[in-house]
Coordinates of all heavy atoms in Angstrom, one line a residue:
M178 N 10.6 29.8 -11.0 CA 9.2 29.8 -10.6 C 8.4 28.4 -10.9 O 8.6 27.9 -12.1 CB 8.4 30.9 -11.2 CG 6.9 31.1 -10.6 SD 6.3 32.7 -11.1 CE 4.9 32.1 -12.2
A179 N 7.8 27.8 -10.0 CA 7.1 26.5 -10.3 C 5.8 26.7 -11.2 O 5.2 27.8 -11.1 CB 6.6 25.9 -9.0
K180 N 5.7 25.7 -12.0 CA 4.5 25.8 -13.0 C 3.3 25.5 -12.2 O 3.1 25.0 -11.0 CB 4.6 24.6 -14.0 CG 5.8 24.9 -14.9 CD 5.8 23.7 -15.9 CE 7.0 24.0 -16.9 NZ 7.1 23.0 -17.9
K181 N 2.1 26.2 -12.7 CA 0.8 26.0 -12.1 C 0.4 24.5 -12.3 O 0.6 24.0 -13.4 CB -0.2 26.9 -12.7 CG -1.5 26.8 -12.1 CD -2.5 27.7 -12.7 CE -3.9 27.4 -12.0 NZ -5.0 28.3 -12.4
I182 N -0.2 23.8 -11.3 CA -0.7 22.4 -11.4 C -2.1 22.6 -11.3 O -2.7 23.1 -10.4 CB 0.0 21.7 -10.3 CG1 1.4 21.6 -10.4 CG2 -0.7 20.2 -10.3 CD1 2.1 20.9 -9.3
T183 N -2.8 21.9 -12.3 CA -4.2 21.7 -12.4 C -4.6 20.3 -12.4 O -3.7 19.4 -12.6 CB -4.9 22.4 -13.6 OG1 -4.3 21.8 -14.8 CG2 -4.4 24.0 -13.7
F184 N -5.9 20.0 -12.0 CA -6.3 18.6 -12.0 C -7.5 18.4 -13.0 O -8.5 19.2 -12.9 CB -6.8 18.2 -10.6 CG -5.7 18.3 -9.6 CD1 -5.1 19.4 -9.1 CD2 -5.0 17.1 -9.1 CE1 -4.1 19.6 -8.2 CE2 -4.0 17.1 -8.2 CZ -3.6 18.3 -7.8
C185 N -7.3 17.4 -13.8 CA -8.5 17.1 -14.8 C -9.6 16.5 -14.1 O -9.5 16.1 -12.8 CB -8.0 16.2 -15.9 SG -7.8 14.5 -15.5
P186 N -10.8 16.5 -14.5 CA -12.0 16.0 -13.8 C -11.7 14.5 -13.3 O -12.1 14.3 -12.2 CB -13.1 16.0 -14.9 CG -12.7 17.1 -15.8 CD -11.3 17.0 -15.9
H187 N -11.1 13.7 -14.0 CA -10.9 12.4 -13.6 C -10.0 12.4 -12.3 O -10.3 11.6 -11.3 CB -10.1 11.5 -14.6 CG -9.7 10.2 -14.1 ND1 -10.6 9.1 -14.0 CD2 -8.5 9.7 -13.8 CE1 -9.9 8.0 -13.5 NE2 -8.7 8.4 -13.5
A188 N -8.9 13.2 -12.3 CA -8.1 13.3 -11.1 C -8.9 13.9 -10.0 O -8.7 13.4 -8.7 CB -6.9 14.2 -11.5
E189 N -9.6 14.9 -10.2 CA -10.5 15.5 -9.1 C -11.4 14.3 -8.5 O -11.5 14.3 -7.2 CB -11.4 16.6 -9.6 CG -10.7 17.7 -10.0 CD -10.3 18.7 -8.8 OE1 -10.7 18.5 -7.7 OE2 -9.6 19.8 -9.2
N190 N -12.0 13.5 -9.3 CA -12.8 12.4 -8.8 C -12.0 11.4 -8.0 O -12.6 10.8 -7.1 CB -13.5 11.8 -10.0 CG -14.6 10.8 -9.5 OD1 -15.4 11.3 -8.6 ND2 -14.8 9.8 -10.1
K191 N -10.7 11.2 -8.3 CA -9.9 10.2 -7.5 C -9.9 10.5 -6.0 O -9.8 9.6 -5.3 CB -8.5 10.2 -8.2 CG -8.4 9.6 -9.6 CD -8.6 8.0 -9.6 CE -7.4 7.3 -9.1 NZ -7.1 6.1 -9.8
F192 N -9.8 11.8 -5.7 CA -9.8 12.2 -4.3 C -11.0 11.6 -3.5 O -10.9 11.0 -2.5 CB -9.7 13.7 -4.1 CG -8.5 14.4 -4.6 CD1 -8.5 15.1 -5.8 CD2 -7.4 14.3 -3.8 CE1 -7.2 15.7 -6.1 CE2 -6.2 14.9 -4.2 CZ -6.2 15.6 -5.4
K193 N -12.1 11.7 -4.2 CA -13.3 11.1 -3.5 C -13.3 9.5 -3.5 O -13.7 8.9 -2.5 CB -14.6 11.6 -4.4 CG -14.8 13.1 -4.3 CD -15.9 13.5 -5.1 CE -15.9 15.0 -5.3 NZ -16.4 15.5 -6.6
I194 N -12.9 9.0 -4.6 CA -12.9 7.6 -4.6 C -11.9 7.0 -3.6 O -12.3 6.0 -2.9 CB -12.4 7.0 -6.1 CG1 -13.5 7.4 -7.1 CG2 -12.1 5.6 -6.0 CD1 -13.1 7.2 -8.5
F195 N -10.8 7.5 -3.5 CA -9.8 7.0 -2.4 C -10.4 7.4 -1.0 O -10.2 6.4 -0.2 CB -8.4 7.6 -2.6 CG -7.6 7.0 -3.7 CD1 -7.2 7.8 -4.9 CD2 -7.4 5.6 -3.8 CE1 -6.4 7.2 -5.8 CE2 -6.7 5.0 -4.8 CZ -6.2 5.8 -5.8
E196 N -11.0 8.4 -0.8 CA -11.6 8.7 0.5 C -12.6 7.8 0.9 O -12.7 7.3 2.0 CB -12.1 10.1 0.5 CG -12.3 10.7 2.0 CD -12.3 12.1 2.1 OE1 -12.1 12.9 1.1 OE2 -12.7 12.6 3.2
Q197 N -13.4 7.3 -0.1 CA -14.4 6.2 0.2 C -13.9 5.0 0.6 O -14.4 4.1 1.3 CB -15.3 6.0 -1.1 CG -16.3 7.2 -1.4 CD -16.9 7.1 -2.7 OE1 -16.5 6.3 -3.6 NE2 -17.8 7.9 -3.0
H198 N -12.6 4.7 0.3 CA -11.8 3.6 0.6 C -10.9 3.7 1.8 O -10.0 2.9 2.0 CB -11.1 2.9 -0.7 CG -11.9 2.5 -1.7 ND1 -13.1 1.9 -1.5 CD2 -11.8 2.5 -3.0 CE1 -13.7 1.5 -2.6 NE2 -12.9 2.0 -3.6
G199 N -11.1 4.8 2.5 CA -10.2 5.1 3.7 C -8.8 5.7 3.4 O -8.1 5.8 4.3
L200 N -8.6 6.1 2.2 CA -7.3 6.8 1.8 C -7.4 8.2 1.5 O -8.3 8.6 0.8 CB -6.7 6.1 0.6 CG -6.2 4.6 0.7 CD1 -5.9 4.0 -0.6 CD2 -5.1 4.5 1.8
K201 N -6.8 9.1 2.2 CA -7.0 10.5 2.1 C -5.7 11.1 1.3 O -4.6 11.0 1.9 CB -7.2 11.3 3.4 CG -7.4 12.8 3.2 CD -8.2 13.3 4.2 CE -8.3 14.7 4.2 NZ -9.1 15.3 3.1
F202 N -5.8 11.7 0.2 CA -4.8 12.4 -0.5 C -5.2 13.8 -0.6 O -6.4 14.1 -0.7 CB -4.5 11.8 -1.8 CG -4.0 10.4 -1.9 CD1 -4.7 9.3 -2.1 CD2 -2.6 10.2 -1.6 CE1 -4.2 8.0 -2.0 CE2 -2.0 9.0 -1.5 CZ -2.8 7.8 -1.8
T203 N -4.3 14.7 -0.6 CA -4.6 16.1 -0.8 C -3.9 16.7 -2.1 O -2.9 16.1 -2.6 CB -4.1 16.9 0.4 OG1 -2.7 16.8 0.4 CG2 -4.7 16.4 1.6
K204 N -4.4 17.8 -2.6 CA -3.7 18.4 -3.7 C -2.3 18.8 -3.4 O -1.4 18.7 -4.3 CB -4.6 19.6 -4.3 CG -5.8 19.2 -4.9 CD -6.6 20.4 -5.4 CE -7.8 19.9 -6.3 NZ -8.6 21.0 -6.8
P205 N -2.1 19.5 -2.2 CA -0.7 19.7 -2.0 C 0.2 18.4 -1.9 O 1.4 18.6 -2.3 CB -0.7 20.3 -0.5 CG -2.0 20.9 -0.5 CD -2.9 20.0 -1.2
Q206 N -0.3 17.4 -1.5 CA 0.4 16.1 -1.5 C 0.8 15.6 -2.9 O 1.9 15.2 -3.2 CB -0.3 15.0 -0.7 CG 0.4 13.7 -0.6 CD -0.5 12.7 0.2 OE1 -1.6 12.8 0.3 NE2 0.2 11.7 0.7
I207 N -0.2 15.8 -3.8 CA 0.1 15.4 -5.2 C 1.0 16.3 -5.9 O 1.9 15.9 -6.5 CB -1.4 15.3 -6.0 CG1 -2.4 14.4 -5.3 CG2 -1.1 15.0 -7.4 CD1 -1.8 13.0 -5.1
S208 N 0.9 17.6 -5.7 CA 1.7 18.7 -6.1 C 3.3 18.4 -5.7 O 4.2 18.5 -6.4 CB 1.3 20.1 -5.8 OG 0.1 20.3 -6.3
D209 N 3.2 17.9 -4.4 CA 4.6 17.7 -3.8 C 5.2 16.5 -4.5 O 6.4 16.5 -4.7 CB 4.5 17.5 -2.4 CG 5.9 17.2 -1.7 OD1 6.8 18.2 -1.7 OD2 6.1 16.1 -1.2
A210 N 4.4 15.5 -4.8 CA 5.0 14.4 -5.5 C 5.5 14.7 -6.9 O 6.5 14.1 -7.3 CB 4.0 13.3 -5.6
I211 N 5.0 15.6 -7.6 CA 5.5 16.0 -8.8 C 6.7 17.0 -8.7 O 7.7 16.7 -9.3 CB 4.4 16.9 -9.6 CG1 3.2 16.0 -10.0 CG2 4.9 17.6 -10.8 CD1 2.0 16.7 -10.5
N212 N 6.7 17.9 -7.7 CA 7.7 18.8 -7.6 C 8.9 18.3 -6.9 O 10.1 18.8 -7.1 CB 7.3 20.1 -6.9 CG 6.3 21.0 -7.7 OD1 6.5 21.2 -8.8 ND2 5.3 21.5 -7.0
H213 N 8.7 17.2 -6.1 CA 9.9 16.7 -5.4 C 9.9 15.1 -5.7 O 10.2 14.3 -4.7 CB 9.8 17.0 -3.9 CG 9.8 18.4 -3.6 ND1 8.7 19.1 -3.4 CD2 10.8 19.3 -3.6 CE1 9.0 20.4 -3.1 NE2 10.3 20.5 -3.4
A214 N 9.6 14.7 -6.8 CA 9.6 13.3 -7.2 C 11.0 12.6 -7.0 O 12.0 13.3 -7.2 CB 9.2 13.2 -8.6
E215 N 11.0 11.5 -6.5 CA 12.3 10.7 -6.4 C 12.6 10.2 -7.8 O 13.7 9.8 -8.1 CB 12.0 9.5 -5.5 CG 11.9 10.1 -4.1 CD 11.2 9.1 -3.1 OE1 10.9 7.9 -3.5 OE2 10.9 9.4 -1.9
K216 N 11.5 10.0 -8.7 CA 11.7 9.5 -10.1 C 10.7 10.1 -10.9 O 9.6 10.1 -10.5 CB 11.6 8.0 -10.0 CG 12.1 7.2 -11.2 CD 11.8 5.7 -11.0 CE 12.6 5.0 -9.9 NZ 12.4 3.5 -9.9
I217 N 11.2 10.5 -12.1 CA 10.1 10.8 -13.1 C 10.4 10.1 -14.4 O 11.5 10.0 -14.9 CB 10.1 12.3 -13.5 CG1 9.8 13.2 -12.3 CG2 9.2 12.7 -14.6 CD1 9.5 14.7 -12.5
L218 N 9.4 9.3 -14.9 CA 9.5 8.4 -16.0 C 8.7 8.9 -17.2 O 7.7 9.7 -16.9 CB 9.0 7.0 -15.6 CG 9.6 6.4 -14.3 CD1 8.8 5.2 -13.8 CD2 11.1 5.9 -14.6
S219 N 9.0 8.4 -18.3 CA 8.2 8.8 -19.5 C 7.0 7.7 -19.5 O 7.2 6.5 -19.2 CB 9.0 8.6 -20.7 OG 10.0 9.6 -20.7
G220 N 5.8 8.3 -19.8 CA 4.6 7.5 -19.9 C 4.2 7.5 -21.4 O 4.8 7.9 -22.3
E221 N 2.9 7.0 -21.6 CA 2.3 6.9 -22.9 C 1.8 8.3 -23.3 O 1.5 9.1 -22.4 CB 1.1 5.9 -22.9 CG 1.5 4.4 -22.5 CD 0.4 3.5 -22.6 OE1 -0.8 3.9 -23.0 OE2 0.6 2.4 -22.0
R222 N 1.7 8.5 -24.6 CA 1.2 9.7 -25.1 C 1.9 11.0 -24.6 O 1.2 12.0 -24.3 CB -0.3 9.8 -25.0 CG -1.1 8.7 -25.7 CD -2.5 8.9 -25.7 NE -3.0 8.7 -24.4 CZ -4.2 8.5 -24.0 NH1 -5.1 8.3 -25.0 NH2 -4.7 8.5 -22.8
S223 N 3.2 11.0 -24.4 CA 3.9 12.1 -23.9 C 3.6 12.5 -22.5 O 3.9 13.6 -22.2 CB 3.8 13.3 -24.9 OG 4.2 13.0 -26.2
R224 N 3.0 11.6 -21.8 CA 2.7 11.9 -20.4 C 4.0 11.5 -19.6 O 4.8 10.8 -20.0 CB 1.6 11.0 -19.9 CG 0.3 11.6 -20.6 CD -0.9 11.0 -20.2 NE -2.1 11.5 -20.6 CZ -3.4 11.0 -20.7 NH1 -3.6 9.8 -20.3 NH2 -4.3 11.7 -21.2
K225 N 4.0 12.0 -18.3 CA 5.2 11.7 -17.4 C 4.5 11.1 -16.2 O 3.3 11.3 -15.7 CB 5.9 13.0 -17.1 CG 6.6 13.6 -18.2 CD 7.3 14.8 -17.9 CE 8.0 15.4 -19.1 NZ 8.7 16.6 -18.8
I226 N 5.3 10.3 -15.5 CA 4.9 9.6 -14.3 C 5.9 10.0 -13.2 O 7.2 9.7 -13.2 CB 5.0 8.1 -14.4 CG1 4.1 7.6 -15.6 CG2 4.5 7.4 -13.1 CD1 4.3 6.3 -16.0
A227 N 5.4 10.7 -12.2 CA 6.2 11.1 -11.0 C 5.9 10.1 -10.0 O 4.8 9.7 -9.7 CB 5.8 12.5 -10.4
Q228 N 7.0 9.8 -9.3 CA 7.0 8.6 -8.2 C 7.6 9.1 -7.0 O 8.8 9.7 -7.0 CB 7.6 7.4 -8.7 CG 7.4 6.2 -7.8 CD 7.9 4.9 -8.4 OE1 7.3 4.6 -9.5 NE2 8.8 4.3 -7.9
K229 N 7.0 9.0 -5.9 CA 7.5 9.5 -4.6 C 7.1 8.5 -3.5 O 5.8 8.1 -3.5 CB 7.0 10.8 -4.2 CG 7.7 11.4 -2.9 CD 7.5 12.8 -2.9 CE 8.3 13.3 -1.5 NZ 8.1 14.7 -1.3
S230 N 7.9 8.1 -2.5 CA 7.6 7.2 -1.4 C 6.5 7.8 -0.6 O 6.5 8.9 -0.3 CB 8.8 7.1 -0.6 OG 9.8 6.5 -1.3
L231 N 5.6 6.8 -0.3 CA 4.6 7.1 0.8 C 5.0 6.6 2.2 O 4.8 7.1 3.2 CB 3.2 6.5 0.4 CG 2.5 7.2 -0.7 CD1 1.2 6.4 -1.1 CD2 2.0 8.6 -0.2
D232 N 5.6 5.4 2.1 CA 6.2 4.7 3.3 C 7.1 3.7 2.8 O 7.5 3.6 1.7 CB 5.0 4.1 4.2 CG 4.0 3.2 3.5 OD1 4.5 2.5 2.5 OD2 2.9 3.1 3.9
L233 N 7.4 2.7 3.6 CA 8.4 1.7 3.3 C 7.8 0.7 2.3 O 8.6 0.1 1.5 CB 8.8 0.9 4.5 CG 9.7 1.7 5.5 CD1 10.0 0.9 6.8 CD2 11.0 2.2 4.8
E234 N 6.5 0.6 2.2 CA 5.9 -0.4 1.3 C 5.3 0.2 0.1 O 5.2 -0.5 -1.0 CB 4.8 -1.2 2.0 CG 4.3 -2.4 1.4 CD 3.3 -3.3 2.1 OE1 3.1 -3.0 3.3 OE2 2.8 -4.2 1.6
Y235 N 4.9 1.5 0.1 CA 4.1 2.0 -1.0 C 4.8 3.3 -1.6 O 5.5 4.1 -0.8 CB 2.7 2.4 -0.6 CG 1.8 1.2 -0.3 CD1 1.8 0.6 1.0 CD2 1.2 0.5 -1.4 CE1 1.0 -0.5 1.2 CE2 0.4 -0.6 -1.1 CZ 0.3 -1.1 0.1 OH -0.4 -2.3 0.3
V236 N 4.5 3.5 -2.8 CA 4.9 4.8 -3.5 C 3.6 5.4 -4.1 O 2.6 4.8 -4.3 CB 5.9 4.6 -4.6 CG1 7.2 4.2 -4.2 CG2 5.3 3.7 -5.6
L237 N 3.6 6.7 -4.2 CA 2.6 7.5 -4.8 C 3.1 7.6 -6.3 O 4.1 8.3 -6.6 CB 2.3 8.8 -4.3 CG 1.3 9.7 -4.9 CD1 -0.1 9.0 -4.9 CD2 1.2 11.0 -4.0
R238 N 2.2 7.3 -7.3 CA 2.5 7.6 -8.7 C 1.5 8.6 -9.2 O 0.2 8.5 -9.0 CB 2.5 6.3 -9.4 CG 3.6 5.4 -9.0 CD 3.6 4.0 -9.7 NE 3.5 4.0 -11.1 CZ 4.7 3.9 -11.9 NH1 5.8 4.0 -11.5 NH2 4.4 3.9 -13.2
V239 N 2.0 9.6 -9.8 CA 1.2 10.7 -10.4 C 1.4 10.7 -11.9 O 2.6 11.0 -12.3 CB 1.5 12.1 -9.8 CG1 0.6 13.2 -10.3 CG2 1.3 12.0 -8.2
I240 N 0.4 10.6 -12.7 CA 0.5 10.8 -14.2 C 0.0 12.1 -14.6 O -1.0 12.6 -14.1 CB -0.5 9.7 -14.8 CG1 -0.4 8.2 -14.2 CG2 -0.2 9.7 -16.4 CD1 0.9 7.7 -14.1
F241 N 0.9 12.7 -15.3 CA 0.6 14.1 -15.7 C 1.1 14.5 -17.1 O 1.9 13.9 -17.6 CB 1.2 15.2 -14.6 CG 2.7 15.2 -14.6 CD1 3.5 16.1 -15.1 CD2 3.4 14.2 -13.8 CE1 4.9 16.1 -15.1 CE2 4.7 14.2 -13.7 CZ 5.5 15.2 -14.4
E242 N 0.5 15.7 -17.6 CA 1.0 16.2 -18.8 C 1.6 17.5 -18.6 O 1.1 18.2 -17.6 CB -0.2 16.4 -19.9 CG -0.8 15.0 -20.3 CD -2.0 15.1 -21.1 OE1 -2.6 16.2 -21.2 OE2 -2.3 14.1 -21.7
E243 N 2.6 18.0 -19.3 CA 3.2 19.2 -19.0 C 3.4 20.1 -20.3 O 3.8 19.5 -21.3 CB 4.6 18.8 -18.4 CG 5.4 20.0 -18.0 CD 6.7 19.5 -17.2 OE1 7.2 18.5 -17.4 OE2 7.2 20.5 -16.6
T244 N 3.2 21.3 -20.2 CA 3.5 22.2 -21.2 C 4.5 23.3 -20.7 O 4.9 23.2 -19.5 CB 2.1 23.0 -21.7 OG1 1.7 23.8 -20.6 CG2 1.1 22.0 -22.2
N245 N 4.8 24.3 -21.5 CA 5.7 25.2 -21.0 C 5.1 26.0 -19.7 O 5.8 26.4 -18.9 CB 6.0 26.3 -22.0 CG 6.8 25.7 -23.1 OD1 7.7 24.8 -22.9 ND2 6.8 26.3 -24.3
E246 N 3.8 26.2 -19.7 CA 3.2 27.0 -18.6 C 2.4 26.2 -17.5 O 2.2 26.7 -16.4 CB 2.2 28.0 -19.1 CG 2.7 28.9 -20.3 CD 2.7 28.3 -21.6 OE1 1.8 27.4 -21.9 OE2 3.5 28.7 -22.5
L247 N 2.2 25.0 -17.8 CA 1.1 24.3 -16.9 C 1.4 22.8 -16.8 O 1.9 22.2 -17.7 CB -0.2 24.4 -17.7 CG -1.5 24.0 -16.9 CD1 -1.8 24.7 -15.8 CD2 -2.7 24.1 -17.8
I248 N 1.1 22.2 -15.7 CA 1.1 20.8 -15.4 C -0.3 20.4 -15.1 O -1.0 20.9 -14.2 CB 2.0 20.4 -14.2 CG1 3.5 20.7 -14.7 CG2 1.9 18.9 -13.8 CD1 4.4 20.6 -13.4
T249 N -0.8 19.4 -15.8 CA -2.2 18.8 -15.7 C -2.0 17.4 -15.2 O -1.6 16.6 -15.8 CB -3.0 19.0 -16.9 OG1 -3.0 20.2 -17.4 CG2 -4.4 18.4 -16.8
V250 N -2.6 17.2 -13.9 CA -2.6 15.9 -13.4 C -3.8 15.1 -14.0 O -5.0 15.5 -14.0 CB -2.8 15.9 -11.9 CG1 -3.0 14.5 -11.2 CG2 -1.7 16.7 -11.2
I251 N -3.4 14.0 -14.6 CA -4.4 13.0 -15.2 C -5.0 12.1 -14.2 O -6.1 12.0 -14.1 CB -3.8 12.3 -16.4 CG1 -3.1 13.2 -17.3 CG2 -4.8 11.4 -17.1 CD1 -3.9 14.3 -18.0
T252 N -4.1 11.5 -13.5 CA -4.6 10.6 -12.4 C -3.4 10.3 -11.4 O -2.3 10.7 -11.6 CB -5.1 9.2 -13.0 OG1 -5.7 8.5 -12.0 CG2 -3.8 8.3 -13.6
F253 N -3.7 9.7 -10.4 CA -2.7 9.3 -9.4 C -3.2 8.1 -8.5 O -4.3 7.8 -8.5 CB -2.5 10.5 -8.3 CG -3.6 11.0 -7.6 CD1 -4.0 10.4 -6.4 CD2 -4.5 12.0 -8.1 CE1 -5.1 10.9 -5.7 CE2 -5.7 12.3 -7.4 CZ -5.9 11.8 -6.1
Y254 N -2.3 7.4 -8.0 CA -2.6 6.2 -7.2 C -1.4 5.6 -6.4 O -0.2 5.9 -6.7 CB -3.1 5.0 -8.2 CG -2.0 4.7 -9.3 CD1 -1.1 3.7 -9.0 CD2 -2.0 5.5 -10.5 CE1 -0.2 3.4 -10.0 CE2 -1.0 5.1 -11.4 CZ -0.2 4.1 -11.2 OH 0.7 3.8 -12.2
P255 N -1.7 5.1 -5.2 CA -0.7 4.4 -4.5 C -0.3 3.0 -5.1 O -1.2 2.4 -5.7 CB -1.3 4.2 -3.1 CG -2.7 4.1 -3.4 CD -3.0 5.0 -4.6
A256 N 0.9 2.6 -5.1 CA 1.3 1.4 -5.6 C 2.4 0.7 -4.7 O 3.1 1.4 -4.0 CB 1.8 1.5 -7.0
K257 N 2.4 -0.6 -4.7 CA 3.4 -1.4 -4.0 C 4.8 -1.0 -4.6 O 5.0 -1.1 -5.8 CB 3.2 -2.8 -4.1 CG 2.1 -3.3 -3.3 CD 2.5 -4.6 -2.5 CE 1.3 -4.9 -1.6 NZ 1.8 -5.5 -0.4
R258 N 5.7 -0.6 -3.7 CA 7.0 -0.2 -4.0 C 7.7 -1.4 -4.8 O 8.4 -1.1 -5.9 CB 7.8 0.1 -2.8 CG 9.3 0.6 -3.0 CD 9.9 0.7 -1.6 NE 9.4 1.8 -0.8 CZ 9.8 3.0 -0.9 NH1 10.6 3.4 -1.7 NH2 9.1 4.0 -0.1
S259 N 7.4 -2.6 -4.4 CA 8.1 -3.7 -5.1 C 7.8 -3.9 -6.6 O 8.5 -4.4 -7.3 CB 7.8 -5.1 -4.4 OG 6.4 -5.2 -4.2
R260 N 6.6 -3.4 -6.9 CA 6.2 -3.5 -8.3 C 7.0 -2.4 -9.2 O 7.2 -2.7 -10.4 CB 4.7 -3.2 -8.5 CG 4.2 -3.3 -9.9 CD 2.7 -3.3 -9.9 NE 2.4 -3.3 -11.5 CZ 1.1 -3.3 -11.9 NH1 0.2 -3.3 -11.0 NH2 0.9 -3.5 -13.1
Y261 N 7.3 -1.3 -8.7 CA 7.9 -0.3 -9.5 C 9.3 0.0 -9.2 O 9.9 0.8 -10.0 CB 7.1 1.0 -9.4 CG 5.7 0.8 -10.0 CD1 4.6 0.6 -9.1 CD2 5.5 0.7 -11.4 CE1 3.4 0.4 -9.7 CE2 4.3 0.6 -12.0 CZ 3.2 0.4 -11.2 OH 2.0 0.2 -11.7
E262 N 9.9 -0.4 -8.2 CA 11.3 -0.2 -7.9 C 12.1 -1.5 -8.0 O 11.7 -2.6 -7.5 CB 11.5 0.3 -6.4 CG 10.8 1.7 -6.4 CD 11.1 2.3 -5.1 OE1 11.6 1.6 -4.0 OE2 10.9 3.6 -4.9
Y263 N 13.2 -1.5 -8.7 CA 14.0 -2.6 -9.0 C 15.3 -2.7 -8.1 O 15.9 -1.7 -7.9 CB 14.3 -2.7 -10.5 CG 13.1 -2.5 -11.3 CD1 12.9 -1.3 -11.9 CD2 12.1 -3.5 -11.4 CE1 11.7 -1.1 -12.7 CE2 11.0 -3.3 -12.1 CZ 10.9 -2.1 -12.8 OH 9.7 -2.0 -13.6

């Protein structure tokens, strides 16, 4: 069974910020990036970074914390694939 995914206030606010800049992300899209990540890396302070392709040029990176029962999204952002893929 998949863990419940929640969004901290900062992550909730990111949806609005990106929409103001013409980028629309959805909660299902962010959840899918975590559940079907192409790559999961270790981040700072025991956080994890899920990475999934958006298109040929960009990836979606999702920073999250995970416990036995819950995944909490801290933030997310699109990034140039060339910066994170070697």
Side-chain angles (χ1 to χ4, degrees):
M178 186 167 115
K180 293 181 183 180
K181 180 178 177 175
I182 297 177
T183 63
F184 294 78
C185 77
H187 174 76
E189 291 280 359
N190 194 41
K191 293 285 284 216
F192 290 104
K193 295 175 194 149
I194 291 169
F195 282 124
E196 197 160 349
Q197 290 171 349
H198 294 327
L200 296 171
K201 182 156 175 67
F202 292 101
T203 64
K204 287 184 179 182
Q206 184 180 18
I207 302 304
S208 297
D209 181 67
I211 294 170
N212 290 323
H213 301 101
E215 294 160 4
K216 192 185 293 186
I217 294 186
L218 307 162
S219 295
E221 295 180 15
R222 298 187 297 200
S223 300
R224 291 179 175 168
K225 295 181 180 178
I226 305 165
Q228 184 169 301
K229 187 166 183 187
S230 296
L231 286 173
D232 57 30
L233 292 175
E234 191 175 355
Y235 290 93
V236 294
L237 175 61
R238 291 175 55 93
V239 181
I240 314 305
F241 64 97
E242 294 176 346
E243 185 174 23
T244 64
N245 289 335
E246 306 82 30
L247 186 66
I248 291 173
T249 302
V250 175
I251 306 303
T252 193
F253 60 90
Y254 55 93
K257 286 223 175 212
R258 182 184 294 271
S259 61
R260 179 170 180 179
Y261 294 102
E262 292 186 350
Y263 310 107

